[in-house]
Amino acid sequence: MAPTSDQTARHLQRLAALVSQRRAQLKLKKQEAAAVCDIAYMTYWKIEDGQSVRASTYSKLEVGFGLRAGSCKAVLDGAADSVVLEDGTELIEGGQIARVDTESLSDGIPDAVTKSAMLVAPELTGRQIQDLSEQVMEELRRRGILPSAP
């Protein structure tokens, strides 16, 4: 069943909010965003205003903003409430993407494991806590949460 005009308007507004959010994240002015996406300024303006544009324009927007192909269509069809970036990060309307500093994370995790182990299992030896910490770090690397050890 095709979406009603009210649904279509809501989907266009959701996409407009996501596009505006992505532009802000990229620290671009509207005119700069239009240039990055290789579309006319007024066409770009229509997208952020919640107006419909050609499918090829949405494709250019996806390329320029680093969105996965088909993200705009999924939002417009009501099949998605968010867009996915090329790096796999999901941009949710009203949400913020926080980049994790993996170096700080790598430094902080062993300390957090040590403090937690001392509180929860005070019977563990220093060597056991260090082994636990190393296993946690290895597991996070295996899952791709932390980069591989140098």
Side-chain angles (χ1 to χ4, degrees):
M1 183 167 96
T4 66
S5 61
D6 284 349
Q7 289 172 323
T8 299
R10 275 196 307 274
H11 299 325
L12 283 165
Q13 285 302 317
R14 175 172 289 127
L15 182 60
L18 290 165
V19 168
S20 176
Q21 204 172 315
R22 180 64 173 153
R23 177 179 56 80
Q25 180 192 29
L26 294 171
K27 297 179 172 85
L28 297 172
K29 295 177 182 171
K30 287 182 182 179
Q31 202 159 10
E32 295 168 328
V36 164
C37 297
D38 194 29
I39 57 179
Y41 172 73
M42 288 306 295
T43 302
Y44 180 83
W45 182 87
K46 285 180 180 181
I47 295 169
E48 280 202 25
D49 193 47
Q51 297 179 40
S52 184
V53 296
R54 293 181 181 155
S56 60
T57 301
Y58 292 121
S59 295
K60 289 181 178 184
L61 179 79
E62 290 168 348
V63 170
F65 274 14
L67 308 177
R68 285 202 177 148
S71 291
C72 292
K73 183 175 181 343
V75 172
L76 293 173
D77 289 348
D81 292 335
S82 60
V83 292
V84 180
L85 306 181
E86 286 292 337
D87 68 2
T89 306
E90 188 174 12
L91 182 61
I92 301 167
E93 182 181 0
Q96 297 295 319
I97 295 176
R99 293 279 182 226
V100 176
D101 176 10
T102 55
E103 188 174 321
S104 295
L105 194 58
S106 293
D107 292 342
I109 290 173
D111 186 49
V113 170
T114 299
K115 287 180 181 179
S116 299
M118 289 174 22
L119 289 171
V120 175
E123 71 280 0
L124 293 177
T125 66
R127 182 66 201 151
Q128 289 172 318
I129 292 172
Q130 185 177 358
D131 289 344
L132 176 63
S133 180
E134 289 170 4
Q135 288 299 313
V136 167
M137 295 297 286
E138 185 178 315
E139 180 64 16
L140 292 173
R141 286 186 189 101
R142 187 189 67 74
R143 293 182 184 200
I145 296 169
L146 292 176
S148 298

